[in-house]
Amino acid sequence: MTEKAELYFEDGTVVLCTRLTAAYFGVTTATLSNWTRSGCPQLRRGYYDLKAVLDWRAKREERPEMPSDPEQMSAGELRLHYDAQLKQAQFEARQFQNRLAEGEYLPRVQVVRDLSRFLLVLKTAVTGLGRELGLLVSPYVDGDTARRLNHRIDERIREGLEQIAVGGIAREELDTDGG
C-alpha cells in the first residue's frame, strides 16, 4: 500500500493527515506547521499521532498530560478518547473479516458437521476392535479368556467414547492427578 489513508489506526494510536489534524484542533495547516517547528511531534511527514499532539499541547498549557479518566477530560479529549476506541473496534472488526475471508476461521455449522461425521466414523471403527482382537487371540487362549479380553477392550473403548462425548478428561489423567 503506497498511499496512506487520511485517518487510520496504527500501533494503538489514531493517526491523522495534516489537513485532518489541523481541522481537529481548529487551526490552519500553516499553524500546524508552526507547531511542528516549535516541537509538536509529527509521526512522519504529513501525519500526526493525535494523542502525542494532544499531550504536547497539554504540556504547553502546563497540564502534565492528557488524563486517562474520561471524567477529567475536556470535550476535545473525550472526543479523541472515544474516537480512538471506535477506530480500534473498527480495526479489529476489519482484521476479523479479513481473516474470515482468508479462510482462517471456519463457519460453526461446517465444523460441527465435519466433527460429527468424523466421530461417527471413529465410533464405528473402534467399536468392533474388541471382537476382532478376541477372534484373533482365540486360537492361542481358551474361550473364556478371549471373551473377557473382548469385553475388557469393548468396555475401555466405550469409556473413551463417553469421555469424548461429554468433553471430560481421560481416566489416566484423573489417576495420575490423584483424582
Side-chain angles (χ1 to χ4, degrees), residues 24-35:
Y24 179 84
F25 288 102
V27 297
T28 64
T29 55
T31 301
L32 187 59
S33 180
N34 290 337
W35 288 1

Side-chain angles (χ1 to χ4, degrees), residues 23-53:
Y24 179 84
F25 288 102
V27 297
T28 64
T29 55
T31 301
L32 187 59
S33 180
N34 290 337
W35 288 1
T36 304
R37 283 193 288 277
S38 298
C40 178
Q42 187 177 28
L43 189 62
R44 65 181 143 277
R45 182 171 168 77
Y47 289 92
Y48 294 85
D49 173 349
L50 196 51
K51 184 177 181 330
V53 176

Side-chain angles (χ1 to χ4, degrees), residues 55-79:
D55 289 345
W56 178 80
R57 295 260 334 239
K59 285 178 186 171
R60 286 188 56 159
E61 295 172 5
E62 299 184 277
R63 289 181 61 193
E65 61 183 42
M66 187 172 126
S68 58
D69 181 13
E71 290 187 16
Q72 298 174 351
M73 293 181 186
S74 68
E77 291 167 339
L78 275 173
R79 180 178 166 203

Side-chain angles (χ1 to χ4, degrees), residues 89 104 121 131:
E104 193 170 324
V121 169
R131 190 172 45 91

